[in-house]
Amino acid sequence: MTQSRTRISKAVIPAAGLGTRFLPATKATPKEMLPVVDKPAIQYVVEEAVTAGLSDVLMVTGRNKRPLEDHFDRNYELEEALTRKGDETRLARVQESSDLATMHYVRQGDPKGLGHAVLCAAPHVGDQPFAVLLGDDLIDARDPLLARMVDIQERHGGSVIALMEVDPAQVHLYGCAAVKPTVDDDVVQVTGLIEKPDPADAPSNYAVIGRYVLDPAVFGVLRRTEPGRGGEIQLTDALQALASSPDLGGPVHGVVFKGRRYDTGDRSDYLRAIVRLACEREDLGPEFREWLRSYVTEEM
């Protein structure tokens, strides 16, 4: 008899980082509000959660992050101005962000790492499984990674992380997973995790990317987790405990992602994301691709 599991409805988005790689642009503007074409990066992330059926979104913020709240709130003055002008297209775009999801906010306070940010969500999440989406990773809407992860969690219980194969020389930039295969080609069981290992010590080239579906047992583990790499409470360390002791909160599985991902936390990748998404837009793509071809031909 199949065990009934709680339907996942809550998403947590840690957004308290300082965005130092994008200074001086992020001196007064949250990095999550930097535009990717004509939408802030954080809106793509919230849209992904909603598309996967997670309409209750908690954003873990910090100081100087008020623009995030304002973006997902109503702006009556702007809406009224657009209404008077009869600009229905822009009015719909403005209202879209405030109608996306039920938004909640909590401040992290001390910047003690991703694990601590997730722990800040415990009172809101309670005893339900939930998703965590990192704002630096944009997953193309045509590649439904999060929905697949939710499906795997509801089938197997425990926690599910997103994995991507990377060049072995790059594993030191990521959390790295030791895995064993399952009956599903795109799903592995995670037996161990290391945060940013030296390439010689990495158990595989499966890197953890910024999507998680977590059992609430992770909160108890995080409360007992000592600061790790960088003096921060690492979510990877808590997941390592869950993977090595499934009785703590179920197994840990990984979904191996081979779709389109944009790392907007890296300046070069951020620029590539803008170019790729602009090229694919029906309203911008044809003219922009023509200009880009001319530019590349002339300059290269």
Side-chain angles (χ1 to χ4, degrees):
M1 184 176 185
T2 302
Q3 183 179 0
S4 167
R5 301 192 186 277
T6 303
R7 175 67 190 174
I8 298 171
S9 63
K10 295 183 178 181
V12 174
I13 302 177
L18 298 176
T20 52
R21 285 182 287 181
F22 281 85
L23 286 170
T26 50
K27 179 181 178 182
T29 301
K31 66 174 182 175
E32 296 85 2
M33 290 300 296
L34 295 178
V36 179
V37 188
D38 53 5
K39 279 193 300 192
I42 194 67
Q43 185 169 332
Y44 289 90
V45 179
V46 174
E47 288 172 348
E48 179 187 352
V50 172
T51 299
L54 285 62
S55 57
D56 183 315
V57 177
L58 174 71
M59 207 166 286
V60 183
T61 67
R63 293 186 61 201
N64 302 323
K65 298 288 185 168
R66 180 61 185 271
L68 293 170
E69 298 184 35
D70 290 341
H71 180 71
F72 292 101
D73 199 359
R74 298 292 298 273
N75 187 326
Y76 293 103
E77 295 85 355
L78 178 57
E79 292 178 27
E80 179 61 28
L82 293 171
T83 299
R84 288 197 303 269
K85 291 181 179 180
D87 194 339
E88 296 182 0
T89 299
R90 289 187 174 86
L91 176 62
R93 290 175 181 171
V94 167
Q95 292 176 332
E96 181 182 16
S97 59
S98 58
D99 295 336
L100 265 177
T102 302
M103 302 294 298
H104 308 270
Y105 303 90
V106 63
R107 283 199 174 192
Q108 183 176 5
D110 295 330
K112 296 180 181 178
L114 177 58
H116 180 258
V118 171
L119 191 54
C120 290
H124 180 77
V125 169
D127 60 357
Q128 303 177 33
F130 63 104
V132 174
L133 298 86
L134 304 190
D136 286 347
D137 277 334
L138 300 191
I139 304 298
D140 196 292
R142 294 165 293 184
D143 300 314
L145 169 62
L146 188 58
R148 176 62 171 158
M149 294 174 67
V150 168
D151 175 67
I152 295 301
Q153 197 283 334
E154 291 179 344
R155 190 193 312 172
H156 297 291
S159 298
V160 181
I161 63 177
L163 301 173
M164 176 176 278
E165 290 189 81
V166 300
D167 188 298
Q170 300 298 310
V171 294
H172 69 285
L173 300 174
Y174 300 87
C176 183
V179 303
K180 61 182 182 181
T182 70
V183 296
D184 295 305
D185 290 341
D186 65 332
V187 179
V188 293
Q189 183 168 348
V190 177
T191 58
L193 288 158
I194 303 176
E195 178 67 17
K196 297 181 178 178
D198 291 330
D201 299 326
S204 73
N205 66 329
Y206 283 109
V208 182
I209 59 175
R211 297 295 180 270
Y212 310 81
V213 179
L214 302 177
D215 186 278
V218 74
F219 294 131
V221 179
L222 284 169
R223 292 187 184 100
R224 300 188 298 271
T225 299
E226 296 294 326
R229 191 178 182 93
E232 298 181 335
I233 299 174
Q234 298 290 347
L235 179 59
T236 302
D237 292 342
L239 288 168
Q240 158 62 20
L242 292 174
S244 59
S245 301
D247 56 308
L248 287 176
V252 177
H253 286 89
V255 171
V256 180
F257 182 62
K258 297 182 179 180
R260 289 155 285 201
R261 166 183 174 259
Y262 313 110
D263 180 4
T264 59
D266 175 82
R267 289 175 299 173
S268 295
D269 237 18
Y270 171 74
L271 294 174
R272 284 190 283 268
I274 294 174
V275 171
R276 289 170 182 167
L277 292 174
C279 284
E280 294 170 1
R281 287 268 295 263
E282 292 183 4
D283 57 338
L284 298 173
E287 181 180 350
F288 183 68
R289 288 194 300 270
E290 183 177 348
W291 172 84
L292 190 60
R293 278 192 291 266
S294 298
Y295 175 77
V296 171
T297 300
E298 292 171 4
E299 296 296 325
M300 303 299 172

